[in-house]
Amino acid sequence: MNLFKEQLSILYKMRFLENEGDDIEVFEGILNDLSHRGTNDIIPDLCTVFEDDIAEHKGLEEGLYKLAIGISKMLPQAEFWAERIHRTLLNSNDLVIAYSEALKDASSSTKQIIKEILLTIKEEDPDLYLEKVDMVLAKID
């Protein structure tokens, strides 16, 4: 269990990827390792890694831009997670506005990928996501 605590400590320090040497692949690798080898007992500790209000974090739009351009690398293998990330963004007023702004600078191919994901979400649950999806699409078209 000490290995898990060490990995959680690394995740906590890296959560905003602000320091030189912070690497999203290392972060994701640790999360992946924890998901395969950890037990449910680590979930409360894992949740504390993400407890800060990310909307107050400097460079939010830049981070969301990098997220957007990375989505294509998730597809098609992690389509569920790409959609899940977008549902999470749509459920946060602060994040959806910042994400809309960040997408303005994305390439047309990235915008098309995001647009397809958003349209799928809107089609699956229009009562919940219609307005927000339409708002994002209006800003990126």
Side-chain angles (χ1 to χ4, degrees):
M1 198 55 133
N2 285 338
L3 175 62
F4 295 131
K5 293 234 182 254
E6 184 178 319
Q7 287 176 317
L8 287 169
S9 176
I10 292 168
L11 288 177
Y12 188 79
K13 291 175 187 172
M14 291 181 65
R15 67 186 164 183
F16 295 127
L17 302 175
E18 291 179 323
N19 301 308
E20 190 173 321
D22 283 351
D23 185 343
I24 188 67
E25 290 163 357
V26 171
F27 190 85
E28 289 174 345
I30 293 170
L31 285 176
N32 189 42
D33 186 48
L34 289 171
S35 73
H36 291 333
R37 297 187 317 125
T39 64
N40 288 342
D41 296 340
I42 66 167
I43 292 172
D45 290 330
L46 185 58
C47 290
T48 66
V49 171
F50 303 102
E51 69 187 4
D52 285 346
D53 184 0
I54 194 165
E56 294 178 9
H57 179 65
K58 65 180 180 182
L60 177 61
E61 279 184 31
E62 180 183 350
L64 291 172
Y65 170 78
K66 289 181 180 183
L67 172 69
I69 62 174
I71 291 294
S72 65
K73 294 176 183 162
M74 296 176 71
L75 302 173
Q77 306 88 335
E79 185 176 339
F80 169 82
W81 289 108
E83 187 177 314
R84 187 73 202 123
I85 288 167
H86 283 85
R87 286 179 184 273
T88 300
L89 290 169
L90 291 168
N91 285 322
S92 167
N93 289 332
D94 292 334
L95 291 179
V96 76
I97 291 167
Y99 192 58
S100 298
E101 292 299 318
L103 287 172
K104 289 180 181 179
D105 296 329
S107 69
S108 59
S109 62
T110 296
K111 288 179 184 178
Q112 185 59 38
I113 290 167
I114 302 299
K115 183 176 181 177
E116 289 172 15
I117 292 169
L118 293 174
L119 289 172
T120 298
I121 292 169
K122 177 179 164 181
E123 183 179 301
E124 290 174 356
D125 199 351
D127 292 338
L128 189 57
Y129 295 109
L130 176 74
E131 284 183 39
K132 287 188 178 179
V133 168
D134 286 350
M135 183 205 59
V136 174
L137 294 177
K139 288 192 175 200
I140 65 172
D141 280 337

